[in-house]
Amino acid sequence: MENAYKNFLASLALVKNLIQLEDNIYNQLLEPKRVLEVNIPVKMDNGKIRIFKGFRAQFNDARGPFKGGIRFHPNVSYDEVRALSAWMALKTAVVGIPLGGGKGGVIVDPRELSERELESLSRGYMQAVYKIVGPESDIPAPDVYTDPRIMGWMLDEYEKIAGKHLPGVITGKPLDIGGSAARSYSTAQGGLYVLEEAMKKLQMKSPATVTIQGFGNAGYNMAKILQKNGHKIIAVSDSRGTVVNCMGLDVDDLYRHKQKTGSVANYMGAEELGFAHCFEQEADILVPAALENSIHKGNAREIKAKLIIELANGPITPEADEILVDMGVLVVPDILANAGGVTVSYFEQVQNAYGYYWEEKDVLQKLKRIMSLAFNEIWVKKEEYKVDMRTAAYILAVERIARAMEDRGMA
Ligand code: GLU
């Protein structure tokens, strides 16, 4: 397994040399400001106590409170959470919202828990991190295998301990308790806006054909939004299989199949291929929307797409990244491509602070403006430094974080 944190450090070192980042700043970006490790006891349905290990990494808060999701997954680790927290700091900087970066995680396969056990774990996590989170210090949100329902339990737990309503402590909440319109699909929606900018730059024909890897919240919503915008989804994969239909898959029908069976595999409206064949499909655009390192040196050369939109965090290993750059593929990096989620989280917090809620169309208009602006600001850096888009995005982000640190006298 690739070490995501090592990958982050390698990118940071590259940027340091390109922009001649001062050692005083660089050294403070080598480690998160704080990582809390917690052990959460949960009484299981069989009456036995099971202990779950969790983390909350707070990477950098020079630009605003730490911000980032909580992941429930069996592969969560100290290094993964640290890397994800660093990427969050870069992400909030790239889109220019006044937040820093953090991330949480619990080592668990939530699909093995009953609803009661899951609620108990979610409340237990909030109790464990209570002292270091808050609307003005560190604001969690959903991530892989966590959802609005879990955010609702966590919010309730936090407010019970605090003894008052503080909806801004967590984002991605259900609408009835202070969630924002459009937050549930905002990661994908932001992905669409940058995809449209990238298609313009590459002068690609629209509609395009698309392959999507991963069919969770981000992947499913992206497929749905792309289809609504006239594009053709020709292949979708998840951890159990890949389904292909060159005429275009019916996204909602495929989703119903996944709801029923737990996977896209065995879907009738498609031809089925092994997981490894996903990349060989002749699509114009590839959207990785699953976990880290799914595109590696073993499969990168099989990619036919001219454009990749990284909806997942860290889906491409550094070796694969080099191969893709050589092949002339434009990779829109995760810290921009999936920043629509945290951007609408920021809107959610603003609405919570005001106690006044915006209409969906207003949220989307503001999101589009931010995503398109960030894309074009990165493009300017890309031309200026003659680098790929990922490096350009890192440059923009690190410069912004460095300026905030200097302003605070931290340099
Ligand atoms: N988990 C999402 C991400 O990785 C959203 C984070 C947030 O809204 O704070 O960007």
Side-chain angles (χ1 to χ4, degrees):
M1 178 80 178
E2 292 275 338
N3 183 317
Y5 200 70
K6 234 176 55 203
N7 298 350
F8 159 72
L9 289 177
S11 310
L12 186 67
L14 175 69
V15 169
K16 175 188 194 279
N17 291 333
L18 285 170
I19 65 172
Q20 271 127 43
L21 184 68
E22 280 190 40
D23 280 343
N24 279 354
I25 300 277
Y26 176 70
N27 291 339
Q28 292 181 75
L29 296 177
L30 293 173
E31 295 270 358
K33 219 168 156 181
R34 178 199 269 157
V35 186
L36 180 65
E37 181 178 322
V38 297
N39 293 295
I40 308 157
V42 173
K43 181 166 272 177
M44 306 301 281
D45 291 344
N46 64 9
K48 294 224 163 64
I49 297 274
R50 201 171 135 192
I51 318 272
F52 293 90
K53 189 172 284 301
F55 305 93
R56 183 74 191 168
Q58 300 183 324
F59 190 78
N60 184 285
D61 65 345
R63 302 184 61 265
F66 301 106
K67 180 83 190 86
I70 301 165
R71 175 174 296 200
F72 282 2
H73 195 277
N75 295 343
V76 162
S77 66
Y78 173 70
D79 268 344
E80 186 195 54
V81 175
R82 285 202 300 170
L84 289 163
S85 74
W87 291 334
M88 282 310 304
L90 298 171
K91 213 182 282 190
T92 51
V94 153
V95 287
I97 55 178
L99 294 166
K103 196 80 170 205
V106 176
I107 306 171
V108 57
D109 185 348
R111 291 170 303 187
E112 287 170 0
L113 301 190
S114 70
E115 166 120 355
R116 193 203 60 78
E117 290 166 344
L118 188 62
E119 177 173 347
S120 176
L121 175 64
S122 306
R123 289 183 183 277
Y125 180 83
M126 187 46 98
Q127 286 162 17
V129 301
Y130 175 81
K131 286 214 172 79
I132 64 161
V133 302
E136 288 163 346
S137 48
D138 182 0
I139 305 118
D143 196 72
V144 174
Y145 290 162
T146 52
D147 57 18
R149 185 182 50 150
I150 293 176
M151 299 304 112
W153 291 327
M154 290 188 178
L155 172 70
D156 185 64
E157 195 61 31
Y158 186 87
E159 291 185 336
K160 274 193 179 127
I161 304 172
K164 56 185 165 191
H165 284 279
L166 289 162
V169 69
I170 203 157
T171 58
K173 302 179 287 292
L175 285 176
D176 292 319
I177 52 173
S180 174
R183 176 63 186 89
S184 61
Y185 62 88
S186 56
T187 303
Q189 190 71 37
L192 174 79
Y193 295 143
V194 295
L195 176 143
E196 286 173 346
E197 294 292 333
M199 283 182 74
K200 270 193 254 164
K201 291 279 187 223
L202 296 180
Q203 294 172 336
M204 284 172 78
K205 274 204 308 283
S206 189
T209 53
V210 188
T211 296
I212 301 202
Q213 189 201 27
F215 209 49
N217 177 277
Y220 160 62
N221 280 304
M222 188 65 170
K224 205 169 135 168
I225 291 169
L226 286 169
Q227 192 169 58
K228 211 172 94 196
N229 280 270
H231 302 291
K232 214 193 281 177
I233 313 301
I234 60 168
V236 170
S237 69
D238 67 12
S239 56
R240 293 191 218 157
T242 300
V243 289
V244 180
N245 183 340
C246 296
M247 306 301 289
L249 289 156
D250 177 338
V251 173
D252 276 319
D253 198 46
L254 179 60
Y255 186 67
R256 280 191 291 275
H257 171 80
K258 177 161 179 168
Q259 294 284 81
K260 258 188 271 153
T261 64
S263 166
V264 298
N266 304 316
Y267 175 61
M268 293 298 284
E271 180 191 339
E272 194 163 332
L273 291 176
F275 181 66
H277 289 93
C278 176
F279 300 111
E280 293 173 19
Q281 298 319 305
E282 299 274 355
D284 304 321
I285 303 172
L286 170 64
V287 180
L291 292 170
E292 294 92 81
N293 305 324
S294 49
I295 300 174
H296 44 79
K297 62 174 189 283
N299 60 16
R301 284 198 181 78
E302 290 158 21
I303 291 172
K304 305 274 196 312
K306 282 277 147 269
L307 173 61
I308 299 183
I309 306 289
E310 287 189 324
L311 220 51
N313 288 309
I316 302 181
T317 65
E319 293 89 350
D321 217 17
E322 264 176 42
I323 295 171
L324 292 167
V325 170
D326 281 350
M327 284 164 61
V329 179
L330 178 67
V331 178
V332 180
D334 48 5
I335 58 171
L336 169 68
N338 69 35
V342 72
T343 301
V344 176
S345 278
Y346 160 59
F347 296 158
E348 183 172 330
Q349 264 219 312
V350 172
Q351 295 169 80
N352 293 152
Y354 267 73
Y356 175 77
Y357 291 83
W358 309 341
E359 283 178 37
E360 187 169 7
K361 66 172 187 354
D362 296 328
V363 173
L364 294 180
Q365 194 189 17
K366 289 182 169 62
L367 176 64
K368 183 170 186 171
R369 195 181 317 129
I370 288 188
M371 297 304 294
S372 307
L373 177 67
F375 182 97
N376 287 294
E377 284 175 326
I378 292 170
W379 202 265
V380 170
K381 295 282 176 204
K382 174 178 169 349
E383 313 263 272
E384 185 186 334
Y385 286 89
K386 304 201 176 1
V387 290
D388 56 277
M389 249 193 121
R390 186 186 314 282
T391 311
Y394 267 67
I395 291 175
L396 182 69
V398 172
E399 281 178 351
R400 286 182 174 163
I401 296 170
R403 275 205 301 274
M405 291 171 72
E406 279 158 17
D407 289 346
R408 286 176 186 279
M410 288 164 71

